Amino acid sequence: QVQLVESGGGLVQAGGSLRLSCAASGRTFSRYSMGWFRQAPGKEREFVAAINWSGGSTYYADSVKGRFIISRDNAKNTVYLQMNSLKPEDTAVYYCAASTGGGPYNYWGQGTQVTVSS
């Protein structure tokens, strides 16, 4: 079983920054593809960003491109989401996810709340 624990959420004013962290259990983290998703009140979960096992490839949703940066530190079994120039529409519960076999994301964290005030 893979356990993922997000942290770093909170309340921030528009234009501010937050850095989310996702700590993963196990010693095979370096082989996981990792992603960040978010879900706003009354909305469906949406993709935010992804990073491959080595950190050499990243992908972002158009809504966050240029503002958010996903990174990973395999030695620390941790993936990060640096969020800059935050907007009220970024308000959501943010979840990290892992793909352990190269297919769909099969493990999910509990989520961390990000609230951006105008």
Side-chain angles (χ1 to χ4, degrees):
Q1 294 265 36
V2 176
Q3 295 183 11
L4 306 173
V5 180
E6 302 97 333
S7 62
L11 175 64
V12 64
Q13 290 187 335
S17 298
L18 284 173
R19 190 193 195 198
L20 305 183
S21 299
C22 176
S25 65
R27 297 295 183 180
T28 57
F29 175 79
S30 62
R31 293 295 177 179
Y32 304 163
S33 294
M34 300 294 297
W36 286 96
F37 294 76
R38 67 187 182 186
Q39 187 166 21
K43 304 294 184 181
E44 293 186 343
R45 182 183 63 193
E46 65 174 342
F47 169 79
V48 176
I51 190 166
N52 77 331
W53 69 271
S54 69
S57 297
T58 59
Y59 183 79
Y60 299 92
D62 288 342
S63 59
V64 306
K65 196 171 298 181
R67 299 189 297 122
F68 291 9
I69 302 170
I70 188 171
S71 62
R72 68 192 298 162
D73 186 338
N74 287 344
K76 296 181 179 179
N77 281 196
T78 302
V79 63
Y80 305 96
L81 185 68
Q82 178 67 47
M83 305 185 294
N84 301 314
S85 301
L86 283 162
K87 305 173 181 179
E89 50 262 46
D90 294 319
T91 295
V93 177
Y94 283 71
Y95 300 89
C96 68
S99 172
T100 58
Y105 291 103
N106 52 336
Y107 291 94
W108 297 83
Q110 84 290 347
T112 186
Q113 177 71 48
V114 172
T115 303
V116 184
S117 62
S118 60

